[in-house]
Amino acid sequence: MSPAPNRNEAPSRLPLKEDIIRPTFRRERSAYKRGVWPVAGCDEAGRGPLAGPVVAAAVVLDPDRIPRGLNDSKKLTFEEREKLYARICATAEVGVAFASPARIDRDNILQASLWALAQAVAALPCRPKLVYVDGRDRIKVPCDCEPVISGDALVLSIAAASIVAKVTRDRLMMQIGAAHPGYGFERHMGYSVPEHFAALKRLGPTIHHRRSFSPVAIAEGLKPPTEREDSALGLPL
């Protein structure tokens, strides 16, 4: 017979939940203290979709007017992104650039994305002395550049850029959806979902589709990219 439980014993502790990781201004503040300013964060949206451009954004946050609630755009709702987008544009320096489907087909998605990120930095009203970029690749900018893997979840200015890029691209895809009814761009933003595949089969590709992506090439009766060519596209984000 098992012994009766001791009522005076402290209950065993439940396992602690993992800390919620949120982006911080630590890297930017450290650079500021070293006399390195302005500092920009940049990110892009739309590497993975079958249609539409890649949209890149660069943001220099004002240390005294940082909007509350900044986070990786993927962790925010549509409404939260829209509100933060307005606050970022009202308080920060912002640059935006686009890599068209034609450029993506010509250069591949990775190179087109890196080009757009560099163009977004060039579009800033100020010239940064340091750029933090989401991912593992540096971009061609006339200043120091530090890539940060998962930067949109770690660096506040990159998180702000991810919001600007995402909102800008979503708004553009909604306009494309209105101009090309039947594809559902305004709902899936050009991503690979059953509705999009069905529309491609029924209606064929639009001028906004990326013909270097296998599903689009197949829908148009073109030879799909080889496995080696697909690997050059980079990871879809």
Side-chain angles (χ1 to χ4, degrees), residues 36-124:
V36 178
W37 197 262
V39 175
C42 55
D43 197 6
E44 41 72 24
R47 278 178 62 176
L50 303 178
V54 168
V55 177
V59 174
V60 177
L61 292 171
D62 182 340
D64 297 321
R65 296 194 297 165
I66 297 175
R68 297 186 63 178
L70 291 181
N71 204 346
D72 175 0
S73 64
K74 297 184 292 295
K75 299 177 181 178
L76 300 169
T77 65
F78 175 87
E79 291 77 14
E80 288 170 335
R81 287 195 298 267
E82 287 285 335
K83 290 179 181 178
L84 285 167
Y85 172 88
R87 293 171 187 166
I88 293 166
C89 292
T91 60
E93 304 281 1
V94 176
V96 175
F98 303 81
S100 68
R103 178 176 286 274
I104 292 167
D105 290 340
R106 187 191 71 189
D107 297 344
N108 80 46
I109 185 62
L110 176 59
Q111 294 305 317
S113 298
L114 296 177
W115 176 86
L117 287 164
Q119 293 301 115
V121 173
L124 284 167

Side-chain angles (χ1 to χ4, degrees), residues 169-180 185-186:
R169 188 177 189 281
D170 283 357
R171 291 179 178 181
L172 177 59
M173 293 308 296
M174 290 175 189
Q175 293 176 1
I176 292 174
H180 296 273
F185 290 135
E186 66 279 6

Side-chain angles (χ1 to χ4, degrees), residues 23-46:
T24 71
F25 201 63
R26 179 176 60 82
R27 286 177 173 85
E28 295 94 332
R29 184 172 288 109
S30 176
Y32 182 77
K33 290 179 179 178
R34 299 194 308 269
V36 178
W37 197 262
V39 175
C42 55
D43 197 6
E44 41 72 24

Side-chain angles (χ1 to χ4, degrees), residues 7 106 130 164 219:
R7 298 182 183 277
R106 187 191 71 189
L130 172 63
V164 173

